[in-house]
Amino acid sequence: MGREDVELRRALEFVRGFARRRAPRVVDVPGGFAVLDDRYPGSYDDNKLVVWAGDDPGVVLEAAERVLGGREHRQVNVDDDALGAAFAPTFAAAGYEHEETLVMVFRGAPPAGPPEAERLEVAELLPVVRESWRATLPEASEEVVDGLARRIETRLRGADRVGFRGVRAADGGLAAYADLYAHEGVAQIESLVTLARHRGNGHARALMRSLLAETAGADLVFLLADAADWPKDFYARLGFETTGRTHSFLKTP
């Protein structure tokens, strides 16, 4: 097994383990498992199937209907590139939207100097996350926005070390924030957000450099990036390289 294969395997095992540890309920399904959280039934990330084996997409579709039957959505993540590509036509025929995600591993030189980002507590971060979701979903109710924001609390169970980091603008307000997870020598950077009014001022780059300095001792540092969106190019300029690809299928009313 080559270096890239090992890195991809470790990254995907990390993501699966994180999902299992944070979920109140885990259900075995053919080729993988499902995670369920009745507190946030509308959350795709907290109520989904994760599969990486098998050869019959119909079996996975049936499992999604059975396990997610009480939800309005059906979310299936396929953590194998070839399998996801093979499943795509069947899922499309069943009305599912298809997205691809890149697994990107940091292979650059860690930035010199100590990390500069601040450690954020959940209580401080929650209002900022609500603001971000409000901007993204202007028509959503306050209950929905609050539920989406409060999901960050469940992440604390996902790894040995889970932290929230942020950098501030000149006025002292939080400008950008991200999650940092570490478990058994592997670190993941996740949920990087720059608030709309602070975009274009280098805050995301400053935060990423701080996170990379903080994770300099890890065996592996990785993140997940939408294959169809521009941030993947930003991450590449910072030293991340694509080592694999996963697929997600979503069906909504």
Side-chain angles (χ1 to χ4, degrees):
M1 184 178 292
R3 173 188 176 187
E4 289 192 1
D5 293 331
V6 172
E7 290 175 336
L8 178 61
R9 176 181 57 80
R10 292 193 71 186
L12 292 178
E13 287 177 350
F14 183 101
V15 173
R16 293 172 199 152
F18 191 95
R20 294 183 73 104
R21 286 186 291 269
R22 70 182 281 198
R25 285 199 290 151
V26 178
V27 178
D28 290 333
V29 300
F33 61 88
V35 292
L36 300 166
D37 193 332
D38 294 330
R39 295 168 300 177
Y40 311 111
S43 169
Y44 304 158
D45 193 45
D46 294 285
N47 299 273
K48 64 184 177 184
L49 271 62
V50 181
V51 299
W52 59 93
D55 57 11
D56 187 346
V59 172
V60 180
L61 284 170
E62 186 280 329
E65 291 297 324
R66 172 171 46 84
V67 177
L68 299 175
R71 274 60 173 165
E72 292 187 356
H73 71 275
R74 306 289 184 268
Q75 171 83 19
V76 179
N77 289 4
V78 181
D79 282 354
D80 180 273
D81 190 12
L83 192 64
F87 280 9
T90 301
F91 275 84
Y96 280 72
E97 298 177 5
H98 179 201
E99 293 185 355
E100 298 181 7
T101 298
L102 304 180
V103 182
M104 303 186 72
V105 171
F106 183 65
R107 296 203 178 107
E116 297 180 1
E118 293 184 29
R119 296 172 182 264
L120 304 174
E121 299 298 329
V122 170
E124 179 181 8
L125 187 57
L126 272 173
V128 183
V129 178
R130 286 193 192 98
E131 177 186 344
S132 180
W133 276 113
R134 169 56 62 208
T136 303
L137 301 173
E139 303 301 321
S141 68
E142 288 303 316
E143 181 180 5
V144 168
V145 169
D146 187 63
L148 288 168
R150 286 194 173 278
R151 293 180 310 157
I152 65 174
E153 297 171 331
T154 71
R155 299 173 193 167
L156 296 171
R157 300 191 301 269
D160 287 338
R161 183 162 62 92
V162 175
F164 308 108
R165 305 289 185 266
V167 293
R168 297 189 182 276
D171 63 4
L174 194 62
Y177 60 89
D179 295 2
L180 179 60
Y181 315 140
H183 195 85
E184 297 180 350
V186 178
Q188 179 185 6
I189 298 169
E190 178 63 24
S191 300
L192 174 65
V193 174
T194 302
L195 297 182
R197 64 182 178 275
H198 295 300
R199 290 172 186 164
N201 295 310
H203 298 299
R205 177 176 291 275
L207 178 54
M208 285 295 297
R209 288 182 59 82
S210 180
L211 292 169
L212 291 171
E214 185 174 350
T215 58
D219 299 333
L220 176 69
V221 180
F222 78 98
L223 53 78
L224 304 178
D226 187 337
D229 207 354
W230 66 265
K232 67 180 186 301
D233 303 314
F234 167 68
Y235 299 135
R237 291 193 294 272
L238 290 172
F240 285 85
E241 297 180 11
T242 298
T243 192
R245 183 182 303 257
T246 66
H247 299 254
S248 63
F249 301 95
L250 173 66
K251 185 176 183 180
T252 55

